Amino acid sequence: MVAGGAGFLGSHLCVRLLEAGNRVVCVDNLQSGSVENVRMLRRFSRFTFLEHDIVEPLPVIGRLDAIYNLACPASPPAYQENPVHTLQTSVNGSLNLLELATKNGSRILQASTSEVYGDPAQHPQCETYNGNVNPIGPRACYDEGKRCAETLFFDFHRTKGTKVKVARIFNTYGPGMRRDDGRVVSNLVVQALRGEDITIYGNGEQTRSFCYVDDMIDGLIKLMNSPRAVTGPINLGNPGEFTIRELADLVLQMTGSKSKITYLPLPVDDPQLRRPDISMANQALAWQPTTELKTGLKNTIAYFSDTLTERKAASVAAV
Ligand code: NAD
Ligand code: UDP
C-alpha cells in the first residue's frame, strides 16, 4: 500500500514498485495529489486506487506486505491551508495505518521529514539531534504532526512489536511536481520558463540541500527492505547545500531566462540552514544520492518545459 500515492513522491514510488512486479494499492484523498497521476498509474494492471482520507479508519483491504505512509501535504502553502486537518493526517492517519500494519503483520514506513529539526541549532543535522521546532507557529501543524507520528511509530514498535521504519526526508524535487505546488524548485523553474519574476523569500541566504526524486525513491525502498532491526529514524537527503540565491542563479542560467529576481518577506519560522548528515543511511542501507543538482535540474526543467508547452498548445486548440 502506498498512502499518498497520487502525490509527487508517492506516484514515483508506485511506478517503481509496479515495475518491480508488485501489486500496489494507492490510498489518497487527492488533496495535494493529482488525478493525472492516478490515470498514469492505471496503465498497470496490478494497480488499484482507493479514494480515501486516512484520518478515517481504512476499509478491509486484504493482505499487505508493506505500507508506505506518504500521505500528507508537503508544501508549506498546502499544509498551512487547513492546519488542523494536516495535524489530523499525521496523527490520526498514522494511527489508522499503524493499526492496520499491526493487525496484518505488515512492515510500515513513515515519510517523516527534516522539519522535525525545525530551525536547527545543529548543522549538519544528524538523527540524534532533537530539533528546534516552534510548537505554536504556522509550520507547527506539519512539524509537530510529523514529530507525533514518529512518537506513535516507536510506541507501536515498543508495545506491539510493529515492524516500523522511519525516514526523515530532506527537500526532494524532480519531474512530476505540480506547477502550482508552491515549493521552491517548482516555483523558480516555472517562473523562469514563463519569464515571470523569480520570487526569493527573505534575502536568499537561507540554505537547503536538494535531493533528486530517483535517489529518494531508491532510499525509501532500501529502507523498507532493510532488516527488521533497522527502524530509523534515518536521514535521507542529498548533503549538497545551496543558498536559495544560488539555486535561483542556477535556474536562470540553465533556462536562459530573462526573468528578474524579486525579494518577498521571509515566511515565519523559515529554517535558516538545512543539510543532512547521511552517515547512518550510508552504513545501514549502503545508500547515498548520486544525482548532482545540475543533472536533476536539467530533467526538471525539461519536464516543466514540456508540460507548459502542452498546456499552451491545448489552450490554443481550444480557441
Ligand atoms: P505531495 O503533497 O505531492 O503528496 C502527498 C499526497 O498525500 C497527495 O497525493 C495528497 O493528496 C495525499 N494526502 C494528503 N493528506 C491525505 C489524507 N489525509 N489522506 C489521504 N491522502 C492524503 O507531497 P510529496 O512531496 O509527494 O511528499 C510525500 C510525503 O513525503 C509527505 O508525507 C511529506 O511530508 C514527505 N516529505 C516530502 C518531502 C519532499 O521534499 N518532497 C520532504 C520531507 C518529507
Ligand atoms: N522559497 C523561496 N521562493 C519560493 C518558494 C520558497 O525563496 O518561491 C524559499 C523558502 O522560504 C525556503 C526555501 O525556499 O527558505 C525552501 O522552501 P520550500 O517551500 O521549497 O521548502 P521548505 O521551506 O519546507 O524547506
Side-chain angles (χ1 to χ4, degrees):
M1 173 187 287
V2 180
F8 164 52
L9 291 181
S11 56
H12 280 271
L13 177 62
C14 286
V15 169
R16 288 280 284 278
L17 295 172
L18 288 158
E19 282 176 351
N22 298 288
R23 279 189 294 132
V24 174
V25 184
C26 163
V27 176
D28 201 298
N29 67 353
L30 298 177
Q31 186 184 331
S32 57
S34 74
V35 275
E36 286 97 85
N37 282 340
V38 176
R39 207 171 295 134
M40 174 274 289
L41 289 163
R42 282 208 159 116
R43 71 192 153 94
F44 293 92
S45 57
R46 282 170 277 98
F47 176 77
T48 316
F49 177 63
L50 177 65
E51 187 168 345
H52 181 86
D53 189 320
I54 62 161
V55 170
E56 305 302 328
L58 284 107
V60 177
I61 290 177
R63 192 174 69 83
L64 294 165
D65 296 319
I67 300 173
Y68 289 87
N69 181 20
L70 273 66
C72 186
S75 133
Y79 68 65
Q80 288 171 26
E81 198 178 307
N82 186 345
V84 175
H85 188 262
T86 299
L87 205 50
Q88 286 173 318
T89 292
S90 282
V91 180
N92 302 42
S94 296
L95 196 51
N96 285 330
L97 293 176
L98 280 162
E99 271 160 6
L100 187 68
T102 310
K103 212 183 309 160
N104 276 271
S106 333
R107 286 165 284 148
I108 180 165
L109 182 148
Q110 167 67 358
S112 190
T113 167
S114 52
E115 287 281 329
V116 300
Y117 302 122
D119 188 8
Q122 183 192 86
H123 194 70
Q125 295 80 52
C126 53
E127 292 85 350
T128 48
Y129 177 52
N130 286 334
N132 177 34
V133 170
N134 172 6
I136 58 164
R139 298 175 87 96
C141 60
Y142 183 75
D143 301 9
E144 297 289 16
K146 292 283 187 178
R147 287 172 67 94
C148 182
E150 288 198 11
T151 308
L152 286 168
F153 267 65
F154 283 90
D155 281 339
F156 266 71
H157 177 60
R158 274 187 294 266
T159 63
K160 299 173 199 281
T162 312
K163 298 173 206 159
V164 303
K165 312 271 179 193
V166 173
R168 290 184 178 158
I169 300 174
F170 283 63
N171 299 64
T172 304
Y173 70 99
M177 295 185 91
R178 281 171 43 169
R179 278 183 291 270
D180 58 353
D181 176 278
R183 281 175 278 185
V184 70
V185 174
S186 46
N187 271 11
L188 269 48
V189 169
V190 170
Q191 289 160 349
L193 291 172
R194 286 179 169 156
E196 295 169 356
D197 283 357
I198 299 275
T199 54
I200 289 187
Y201 303 159
N203 60 11
E205 289 305 310
Q206 71 272 34
T207 67
R208 292 295 186 273
S209 301
F210 298 102
C211 185
Y212 188 61
V213 59
D214 290 354
D215 288 330
M216 182 56 62
I217 301 302
D218 285 345
L220 292 173
I221 293 175
K222 277 194 161 182
L223 177 58
M224 180 62 101
N225 295 335
S226 62
R228 188 165 174 175
V230 181
T231 57
I234 193 158
N235 288 342
L236 294 180
N238 190 323
E241 184 181 6
F242 298 84
T243 66
I244 297 306
R245 175 70 210 218
E246 285 170 332
L247 175 72
D249 288 342
L250 196 55
V251 168
L252 284 172
Q253 182 204 318
M254 290 180 69
T255 52
S257 170
K258 299 270 180 299
S259 289
K260 306 257 176 312
I261 291 181
T262 178
Y263 290 88
L264 299 176
L266 188 70
V268 174
D269 294 333
D270 198 285
Q272 279 305 293
L273 298 173
R274 181 177 292 158
R275 171 153 63 100
D277 179 323
I278 57 162
S279 353
M280 191 189 281
N282 216 318
Q283 280 159 24
L285 310 175
W287 176 86
Q288 60 186 33
T290 57
T291 313
E292 299 280 341
L293 181 60
K294 266 196 169 175
T295 311
L297 273 183
K298 192 169 157 228
N299 298 344
T300 310
I301 291 167
Y303 165 78
F304 279 119
S305 180
D306 286 352
T307 58
L308 293 175
T309 315
E310 277 164 23
R311 203 174 145 96
K312 221 178 194 173
S315 58
V316 170
V319 172

PDB file of all heavy atoms in Angstrom, residues 274-307:
ATOM      1  N   ARG A 274      19.904  24.047   6.333  1.00  0.00           N
ATOM      2  CA  ARG A 274      19.469  22.646   6.363  1.00  0.00           C
ATOM      3  C   ARG A 274      20.418  21.794   5.510  1.00  0.00           C
ATOM      4  O   ARG A 274      20.615  22.077   4.326  1.00  0.00           O
ATOM      5  CB  ARG A 274      18.049  22.517   5.835  1.00  0.00           C
ATOM      6  CG  ARG A 274      17.558  21.082   5.887  1.00  0.00           C
ATOM      7  CD  ARG A 274      16.136  20.960   5.436  1.00  0.00           C
ATOM      8  NE  ARG A 274      15.206  21.591   6.364  1.00  0.00           N
ATOM      9  CZ  ARG A 274      13.987  21.994   5.993  1.00  0.00           C
ATOM     10  NH1 ARG A 274      13.584  21.856   4.760  1.00  0.00           N
ATOM     11  NH2 ARG A 274      13.188  22.539   6.876  1.00  0.00           N
ATOM     12  N   ARG A 275      20.999  20.808   6.144  1.00  0.00           N
ATOM     13  CA  ARG A 275      21.847  19.841   5.422  1.00  0.00           C
ATOM     14  C   ARG A 275      21.862  18.534   6.197  1.00  0.00           C
ATOM     15  O   ARG A 275      22.121  18.536   7.400  1.00  0.00           O
ATOM     16  CB  ARG A 275      23.276  20.361   5.273  1.00  0.00           C
ATOM     17  CG  ARG A 275      24.248  19.309   4.715  1.00  0.00           C
ATOM     18  CD  ARG A 275      25.413  19.940   3.988  1.00  0.00           C
ATOM     19  NE  ARG A 275      26.247  20.757   4.842  1.00  0.00           N
ATOM     20  CZ  ARG A 275      27.405  20.358   5.365  1.00  0.00           C
ATOM     21  NH1 ARG A 275      27.856  19.141   5.147  1.00  0.00           N
ATOM     22  NH2 ARG A 275      28.115  21.186   6.100  1.00  0.00           N
ATOM     23  N   PRO A 276      21.560  17.430   5.533  1.00  0.00           N
ATOM     24  CA  PRO A 276      21.527  16.163   6.272  1.00  0.00           C
ATOM     25  C   PRO A 276      22.910  15.568   6.484  1.00  0.00           C
ATOM     26  O   PRO A 276      23.765  15.631   5.603  1.00  0.00           O
ATOM     27  CB  PRO A 276      20.724  15.249   5.331  1.00  0.00           C
ATOM     28  CG  PRO A 276      21.029  15.765   3.964  1.00  0.00           C
ATOM     29  CD  PRO A 276      21.232  17.251   4.108  1.00  0.00           C
ATOM     30  N   ASP A 277      23.102  14.982   7.655  1.00  0.00           N
ATOM     31  CA  ASP A 277      24.222  14.063   7.857  1.00  0.00           C
ATOM     32  C   ASP A 277      23.667  12.695   7.470  1.00  0.00           C
ATOM     33  O   ASP A 277      22.708  12.223   8.085  1.00  0.00           O
ATOM     34  CB  ASP A 277      24.632  14.096   9.335  1.00  0.00           C
ATOM     35  CG  ASP A 277      25.785  13.139   9.624  1.00  0.00           C
ATOM     36  OD1 ASP A 277      25.816  12.039   9.023  1.00  0.00           O
ATOM     37  OD2 ASP A 277      26.641  13.482  10.462  1.00  0.00           O
ATOM     38  N   ILE A 278      24.230  12.083   6.432  1.00  0.00           N
ATOM     39  CA  ILE A 278      23.640  10.820   5.953  1.00  0.00           C
ATOM     40  C   ILE A 278      24.532   9.610   6.266  1.00  0.00           C
ATOM     41  O   ILE A 278      24.418   8.569   5.625  1.00  0.00           O
ATOM     42  CB  ILE A 278      23.290  10.856   4.440  1.00  0.00           C
ATOM     43  CG1 ILE A 278      24.504  11.185   3.583  1.00  0.00           C
ATOM     44  CG2 ILE A 278      22.145  11.821   4.174  1.00  0.00           C
ATOM     45  CD1 ILE A 278      24.319  10.814   2.111  1.00  0.00           C
ATOM     46  N   SER A 279      25.410   9.761   7.279  1.00  0.00           N
ATOM     47  CA  SER A 279      26.283   8.608   7.580  1.00  0.00           C
ATOM     48  C   SER A 279      25.475   7.367   7.962  1.00  0.00           C
ATOM     49  O   SER A 279      25.848   6.251   7.608  1.00  0.00           O
ATOM     50  CB  SER A 279      27.289   8.900   8.687  1.00  0.00           C
ATOM     51  OG  SER A 279      27.294  10.200   9.076  1.00  0.00           O
ATOM     52  N   MET A 280      24.349   7.558   8.665  1.00  0.00           N
ATOM     53  CA  MET A 280      23.582   6.384   9.090  1.00  0.00           C
ATOM     54  C   MET A 280      23.005   5.647   7.866  1.00  0.00           C
ATOM     55  O   MET A 280      23.071   4.421   7.775  1.00  0.00           O
ATOM     56  CB  MET A 280      22.456   6.789  10.052  1.00  0.00           C
ATOM     57  CG  MET A 280      21.822   5.596  10.722  1.00  0.00           C
ATOM     58  SD  MET A 280      20.351   5.998  11.651  1.00  0.00           S
ATOM     59  CE  MET A 280      21.033   6.685  13.133  1.00  0.00           C
ATOM     60  N   ALA A 281      22.442   6.388   6.918  1.00  0.00           N
ATOM     61  CA  ALA A 281      21.873   5.766   5.708  1.00  0.00           C
ATOM     62  C   ALA A 281      22.964   5.059   4.917  1.00  0.00           C
ATOM     63  O   ALA A 281      22.767   3.976   4.355  1.00  0.00           O
ATOM     64  CB  ALA A 281      21.195   6.820   4.843  1.00  0.00           C
ATOM     65  N   ASN A 282      24.129   5.697   4.908  1.00  0.00           N
ATOM     66  CA  ASN A 282      25.276   5.116   4.222  1.00  0.00           C
ATOM     67  C   ASN A 282      25.666   3.764   4.811  1.00  0.00           C
ATOM     68  O   ASN A 282      25.844   2.785   4.090  1.00  0.00           O
ATOM     69  CB  ASN A 282      26.426   6.110   4.404  1.00  0.00           C
ATOM     70  CG  ASN A 282      27.276   6.162   3.187  1.00  0.00           C
ATOM     71  OD1 ASN A 282      27.551   5.125   2.618  1.00  0.00           O
ATOM     72  ND2 ASN A 282      27.681   7.359   2.792  1.00  0.00           N
ATOM     73  N   GLN A 283      25.727   3.729   6.148  1.00  0.00           N
ATOM     74  CA  GLN A 283      26.152   2.485   6.820  1.00  0.00           C
ATOM     75  C   GLN A 283      25.061   1.429   6.830  1.00  0.00           C
ATOM     76  O   GLN A 283      25.283   0.271   6.490  1.00  0.00           O
ATOM     77  CB  GLN A 283      26.549   2.782   8.261  1.00  0.00           C
ATOM     78  CG  GLN A 283      27.950   3.361   8.370  1.00  0.00           C
ATOM     79  CD  GLN A 283      28.148   4.118   9.674  1.00  0.00           C
ATOM     80  OE1 GLN A 283      27.472   3.873  10.669  1.00  0.00           O
ATOM     81  NE2 GLN A 283      29.077   5.059   9.653  1.00  0.00           N
ATOM     82  N   ALA A 284      23.828   1.829   7.194  1.00  0.00           N
ATOM     83  CA  ALA A 284      22.761   0.837   7.400  1.00  0.00           C
ATOM     84  C   ALA A 284      22.147   0.362   6.081  1.00  0.00           C
ATOM     85  O   ALA A 284      21.673  -0.771   5.993  1.00  0.00           O
ATOM     86  CB  ALA A 284      21.681   1.416   8.295  1.00  0.00           C
ATOM     87  N   LEU A 285      22.142   1.244   5.061  1.00  0.00           N
ATOM     88  CA  LEU A 285      21.444   0.886   3.812  1.00  0.00           C
ATOM     89  C   LEU A 285      22.380   0.863   2.608  1.00  0.00           C
ATOM     90  O   LEU A 285      21.930   0.573   1.494  1.00  0.00           O
ATOM     91  CB  LEU A 285      20.332   1.917   3.509  1.00  0.00           C
ATOM     92  CG  LEU A 285      19.342   2.259   4.632  1.00  0.00           C
ATOM     93  CD1 LEU A 285      18.402   3.362   4.182  1.00  0.00           C
ATOM     94  CD2 LEU A 285      18.548   1.011   5.028  1.00  0.00           C
ATOM     95  N   ALA A 286      23.637   1.213   2.817  1.00  0.00           N
ATOM     96  CA  ALA A 286      24.587   1.386   1.707  1.00  0.00           C
ATOM     97  C   ALA A 286      23.976   2.327   0.672  1.00  0.00           C
ATOM     98  O   ALA A 286      24.037   2.101  -0.534  1.00  0.00           O
ATOM     99  CB  ALA A 286      24.948   0.042   1.078  1.00  0.00           C
ATOM    100  N   TRP A 287      23.347   3.387   1.166  1.00  0.00           N
ATOM    101  CA  TRP A 287      22.655   4.347   0.278  1.00  0.00           C
ATOM    102  C   TRP A 287      23.333   5.698   0.315  1.00  0.00           C
ATOM    103  O   TRP A 287      23.732   6.168   1.380  1.00  0.00           O
ATOM    104  CB  TRP A 287      21.196   4.511   0.714  1.00  0.00           C
ATOM    105  CG  TRP A 287      20.452   5.545  -0.099  1.00  0.00           C
ATOM    106  CD1 TRP A 287      19.814   5.349  -1.287  1.00  0.00           C
ATOM    107  CD2 TRP A 287      20.276   6.940   0.217  1.00  0.00           C
ATOM    108  NE1 TRP A 287      19.259   6.528  -1.732  1.00  0.00           N
ATOM    109  CE2 TRP A 287      19.526   7.530  -0.824  1.00  0.00           C
ATOM    110  CE3 TRP A 287      20.684   7.763   1.275  1.00  0.00           C
ATOM    111  CZ2 TRP A 287      19.169   8.876  -0.852  1.00  0.00           C
ATOM    112  CZ3 TRP A 287      20.326   9.115   1.249  1.00  0.00           C
ATOM    113  CH2 TRP A 287      19.572   9.650   0.190  1.00  0.00           C
ATOM    114  N   GLN A 288      23.451   6.286  -0.868  1.00  0.00           N
ATOM    115  CA  GLN A 288      23.805   7.698  -0.951  1.00  0.00           C
ATOM    116  C   GLN A 288      23.308   8.215  -2.291  1.00  0.00           C
ATOM    117  O   GLN A 288      23.246   7.460  -3.263  1.00  0.00           O
ATOM    118  CB  GLN A 288      25.303   7.936  -0.808  1.00  0.00           C
ATOM    119  CG  GLN A 288      26.139   7.255  -1.842  1.00  0.00           C
ATOM    120  CD  GLN A 288      27.624   7.422  -1.546  1.00  0.00           C
ATOM    121  OE1 GLN A 288      28.022   7.477  -0.386  1.00  0.00           O
ATOM    122  NE2 GLN A 288      28.418   7.486  -2.588  1.00  0.00           N
ATOM    123  N   PRO A 289      22.893   9.490  -2.350  1.00  0.00           N
ATOM    124  CA  PRO A 289      22.383  10.003  -3.617  1.00  0.00           C
ATOM    125  C   PRO A 289      23.501  10.125  -4.645  1.00  0.00           C
ATOM    126  O   PRO A 289      24.656  10.354  -4.276  1.00  0.00           O
ATOM    127  CB  PRO A 289      21.820  11.378  -3.256  1.00  0.00           C
ATOM    128  CG  PRO A 289      22.399  11.725  -1.947  1.00  0.00           C
ATOM    129  CD  PRO A 289      22.860  10.485  -1.273  1.00  0.00           C
ATOM    130  N   THR A 290      23.147   9.989  -5.923  1.00  0.00           N
ATOM    131  CA  THR A 290      24.176  10.049  -6.961  1.00  0.00           C
ATOM    132  C   THR A 290      23.902  11.155  -7.986  1.00  0.00           C
ATOM    133  O   THR A 290      24.704  11.374  -8.878  1.00  0.00           O
ATOM    134  CB  THR A 290      24.261   8.701  -7.719  1.00  0.00           C
ATOM    135  OG1 THR A 290      22.968   8.418  -8.250  1.00  0.00           O
ATOM    136  CG2 THR A 290      24.716   7.557  -6.828  1.00  0.00           C
ATOM    137  N   THR A 291      22.756  11.828  -7.856  1.00  0.00           N
ATOM    138  CA  THR A 291      22.387  12.825  -8.886  1.00  0.00           C
ATOM    139  C   THR A 291      22.778  14.232  -8.437  1.00  0.00           C
ATOM    140  O   THR A 291      22.288  14.744  -7.423  1.00  0.00           O
ATOM    141  CB  THR A 291      20.863  12.775  -9.157  1.00  0.00           C
ATOM    142  OG1 THR A 291      20.483  11.414  -9.314  1.00  0.00           O
ATOM    143  CG2 THR A 291      20.493  13.558 -10.392  1.00  0.00           C
ATOM    144  N   GLU A 292      23.659  14.851  -9.235  1.00  0.00           N
ATOM    145  CA  GLU A 292      24.076  16.240  -8.976  1.00  0.00           C
ATOM    146  C   GLU A 292      22.892  17.178  -9.192  1.00  0.00           C
ATOM    147  O   GLU A 292      22.027  16.888 -10.039  1.00  0.00           O
ATOM    148  CB  GLU A 292      25.145  16.662  -9.997  1.00  0.00           C
ATOM    149  CG  GLU A 292      26.410  15.849  -9.982  1.00  0.00           C
ATOM    150  CD  GLU A 292      27.346  16.283  -8.870  1.00  0.00           C
ATOM    151  OE1 GLU A 292      27.172  17.411  -8.364  1.00  0.00           O
ATOM    152  OE2 GLU A 292      28.220  15.483  -8.504  1.00  0.00           O
ATOM    153  N   LEU A 293      22.901  18.313  -8.489  1.00  0.00           N
ATOM    154  CA  LEU A 293      21.797  19.276  -8.631  1.00  0.00           C
ATOM    155  C   LEU A 293      21.610  19.681 -10.103  1.00  0.00           C
ATOM    156  O   LEU A 293      20.488  19.748 -10.606  1.00  0.00           O
ATOM    157  CB  LEU A 293      22.051  20.516  -7.758  1.00  0.00           C
ATOM    158  CG  LEU A 293      20.964  21.586  -7.796  1.00  0.00           C
ATOM    159  CD1 LEU A 293      19.606  21.036  -7.329  1.00  0.00           C
ATOM    160  CD2 LEU A 293      21.330  22.802  -6.950  1.00  0.00           C
ATOM    161  N   LYS A 294      22.722  19.912 -10.814  1.00  0.00           N
ATOM    162  CA  LYS A 294      22.608  20.364 -12.214  1.00  0.00           C
ATOM    163  C   LYS A 294      21.898  19.336 -13.081  1.00  0.00           C
ATOM    164  O   LYS A 294      21.073  19.678 -13.936  1.00  0.00           O
ATOM    165  CB  LYS A 294      24.001  20.631 -12.792  1.00  0.00           C
ATOM    166  CG  LYS A 294      24.424  22.053 -12.684  1.00  0.00           C
ATOM    167  CD  LYS A 294      25.597  22.334 -13.597  1.00  0.00           C
ATOM    168  CE  LYS A 294      25.817  23.838 -13.659  1.00  0.00           C
ATOM    169  NZ  LYS A 294      26.989  24.198 -14.404  1.00  0.00           N
ATOM    170  N   THR A 295      22.224  18.052 -12.856  1.00  0.00           N
ATOM    171  CA  THR A 295      21.603  16.984 -13.660  1.00  0.00           C
ATOM    172  C   THR A 295      20.118  16.892 -13.335  1.00  0.00           C
ATOM    173  O   THR A 295      19.263  16.795 -14.223  1.00  0.00           O
ATOM    174  CB  THR A 295      22.286  15.627 -13.336  1.00  0.00           C
ATOM    175  OG1 THR A 295      23.688  15.828 -13.410  1.00  0.00           O
ATOM    176  CG2 THR A 295      21.842  14.530 -14.266  1.00  0.00           C
ATOM    177  N   GLY A 296      19.795  16.913 -12.034  1.00  0.00           N
ATOM    178  CA  GLY A 296      18.394  16.823 -11.616  1.00  0.00           C
ATOM    179  C   GLY A 296      17.595  18.012 -12.113  1.00  0.00           C
ATOM    180  O   GLY A 296      16.448  17.867 -12.559  1.00  0.00           O
ATOM    181  N   LEU A 297      18.221  19.210 -12.067  1.00  0.00           N
ATOM    182  CA  LEU A 297      17.508  20.412 -12.532  1.00  0.00           C
ATOM    183  C   LEU A 297      17.264  20.351 -14.041  1.00  0.00           C
ATOM    184  O   LEU A 297      16.208  20.766 -14.518  1.00  0.00           O
ATOM    185  CB  LEU A 297      18.324  21.666 -12.218  1.00  0.00           C
ATOM    186  CG  LEU A 297      18.123  22.306 -10.846  1.00  0.00           C
ATOM    187  CD1 LEU A 297      18.953  23.577 -10.733  1.00  0.00           C
ATOM    188  CD2 LEU A 297      16.646  22.627 -10.577  1.00  0.00           C
ATOM    189  N   LYS A 298      18.238  19.790 -14.759  1.00  0.00           N
ATOM    190  CA  LYS A 298      18.086  19.675 -16.226  1.00  0.00           C
ATOM    191  C   LYS A 298      16.823  18.858 -16.542  1.00  0.00           C
ATOM    192  O   LYS A 298      15.991  19.258 -17.364  1.00  0.00           O
ATOM    193  CB  LYS A 298      19.338  18.995 -16.791  1.00  0.00           C
ATOM    194  CG  LYS A 298      19.457  19.063 -18.266  1.00  0.00           C
ATOM    195  CD  LYS A 298      20.845  18.622 -18.714  1.00  0.00           C
ATOM    196  CE  LYS A 298      20.740  18.174 -20.157  1.00  0.00           C
ATOM    197  NZ  LYS A 298      21.367  16.901 -20.415  1.00  0.00           N
ATOM    198  N   ASN A 299      16.667  17.722 -15.859  1.00  0.00           N
ATOM    199  CA  ASN A 299      15.482  16.876 -16.084  1.00  0.00           C
ATOM    200  C   ASN A 299      14.200  17.592 -15.662  1.00  0.00           C
ATOM    201  O   ASN A 299      13.158  17.452 -16.298  1.00  0.00           O
ATOM    202  CB  ASN A 299      15.586  15.572 -15.277  1.00  0.00           C
ATOM    203  CG  ASN A 299      16.780  14.738 -15.692  1.00  0.00           C
ATOM    204  OD1 ASN A 299      17.366  14.962 -16.741  1.00  0.00           O
ATOM    205  ND2 ASN A 299      17.146  13.778 -14.858  1.00  0.00           N
ATOM    206  N   THR A 300      14.283  18.325 -14.560  1.00  0.00           N
ATOM    207  CA  THR A 300      13.100  19.014 -14.022  1.00  0.00           C
ATOM    208  C   THR A 300      12.687  20.154 -14.970  1.00  0.00           C
ATOM    209  O   THR A 300      11.492  20.348 -15.237  1.00  0.00           O
ATOM    210  CB  THR A 300      13.410  19.563 -12.609  1.00  0.00           C
ATOM    211  OG1 THR A 300      13.978  18.499 -11.849  1.00  0.00           O
ATOM    212  CG2 THR A 300      12.174  20.072 -11.908  1.00  0.00           C
ATOM    213  N   ILE A 301      13.676  20.880 -15.486  1.00  0.00           N
ATOM    214  CA  ILE A 301      13.386  21.975 -16.418  1.00  0.00           C
ATOM    215  C   ILE A 301      12.752  21.394 -17.690  1.00  0.00           C
ATOM    216  O   ILE A 301      11.749  21.915 -18.197  1.00  0.00           O
ATOM    217  CB  ILE A 301      14.678  22.775 -16.737  1.00  0.00           C
ATOM    218  CG1 ILE A 301      15.119  23.556 -15.489  1.00  0.00           C
ATOM    219  CG2 ILE A 301      14.470  23.709 -17.925  1.00  0.00           C
ATOM    220  CD1 ILE A 301      16.534  24.133 -15.556  1.00  0.00           C
ATOM    221  N   ALA A 302      13.307  20.270 -18.171  1.00  0.00           N
ATOM    222  CA  ALA A 302      12.750  19.644 -19.390  1.00  0.00           C
ATOM    223  C   ALA A 302      11.305  19.214 -19.140  1.00  0.00           C
ATOM    224  O   ALA A 302      10.421  19.413 -19.991  1.00  0.00           O
ATOM    225  CB  ALA A 302      13.604  18.438 -19.785  1.00  0.00           C
ATOM    226  N   TYR A 303      11.031  18.671 -17.956  1.00  0.00           N
ATOM    227  CA  TYR A 303       9.676  18.224 -17.632  1.00  0.00           C
ATOM    228  C   TYR A 303       8.700  19.411 -17.625  1.00  0.00           C
ATOM    229  O   TYR A 303       7.642  19.367 -18.264  1.00  0.00           O
ATOM    230  CB  TYR A 303       9.677  17.535 -16.255  1.00  0.00           C
ATOM    231  CG  TYR A 303       8.306  17.368 -15.671  1.00  0.00           C
ATOM    232  CD1 TYR A 303       7.459  16.359 -16.112  1.00  0.00           C
ATOM    233  CD2 TYR A 303       7.839  18.254 -14.691  1.00  0.00           C
ATOM    234  CE1 TYR A 303       6.172  16.228 -15.586  1.00  0.00           C
ATOM    235  CE2 TYR A 303       6.557  18.124 -14.167  1.00  0.00           C
ATOM    236  CZ  TYR A 303       5.734  17.112 -14.614  1.00  0.00           C
ATOM    237  OH  TYR A 303       4.472  16.989 -14.109  1.00  0.00           O
ATOM    238  N   PHE A 304       9.058  20.483 -16.917  1.00  0.00           N
ATOM    239  CA  PHE A 304       8.138  21.626 -16.848  1.00  0.00           C
ATOM    240  C   PHE A 304       8.005  22.307 -18.212  1.00  0.00           C
ATOM    241  O   PHE A 304       6.928  22.784 -18.571  1.00  0.00           O
ATOM    242  CB  PHE A 304       8.583  22.629 -15.782  1.00  0.00           C
ATOM    243  CG  PHE A 304       8.161  22.220 -14.386  1.00  0.00           C
ATOM    244  CD1 PHE A 304       9.101  21.984 -13.397  1.00  0.00           C
ATOM    245  CD2 PHE A 304       6.817  22.064 -14.076  1.00  0.00           C
ATOM    246  CE1 PHE A 304       8.710  21.605 -12.114  1.00  0.00           C
ATOM    247  CE2 PHE A 304       6.414  21.682 -12.789  1.00  0.00           C
ATOM    248  CZ  PHE A 304       7.367  21.457 -11.817  1.00  0.00           C
ATOM    249  N   SER A 305       9.102  22.331 -18.953  1.00  0.00           N
ATOM    250  CA  SER A 305       9.054  22.938 -20.275  1.00  0.00           C
ATOM    251  C   SER A 305       8.041  22.189 -21.146  1.00  0.00           C
ATOM    252  O   SER A 305       7.194  22.792 -21.811  1.00  0.00           O
ATOM    253  CB  SER A 305      10.465  22.866 -20.858  1.00  0.00           C
ATOM    254  OG  SER A 305      10.493  23.414 -22.104  1.00  0.00           O
ATOM    255  N   ASP A 306       8.077  20.849 -21.113  1.00  0.00           N
ATOM    256  CA  ASP A 306       7.118  20.035 -21.882  1.00  0.00           C
ATOM    257  C   ASP A 306       5.689  20.270 -21.412  1.00  0.00           C
ATOM    258  O   ASP A 306       4.786  20.455 -22.219  1.00  0.00           O
ATOM    259  CB  ASP A 306       7.413  18.531 -21.699  1.00  0.00           C
ATOM    260  CG  ASP A 306       8.644  18.124 -22.485  1.00  0.00           C
ATOM    261  OD1 ASP A 306       9.143  18.957 -23.269  1.00  0.00           O
ATOM    262  OD2 ASP A 306       9.110  16.985 -22.289  1.00  0.00           O
ATOM    263  N   THR A 307       5.468  20.263 -20.086  1.00  0.00           N
ATOM    264  CA  THR A 307       4.079  20.378 -19.614  1.00  0.00           C
ATOM    265  C   THR A 307       3.531  21.783 -19.896  1.00  0.00           C
ATOM    266  O   THR A 307       2.361  21.925 -20.234  1.00  0.00           O
ATOM    267  CB  THR A 307       3.915  20.053 -18.103  1.00  0.00           C
ATOM    268  OG1 THR A 307       4.737  20.936 -17.366  1.00  0.00           O
ATOM    269  CG2 THR A 307       4.288  18.629 -17.761  1.00  0.00           C
TER     270      THR A 307
END
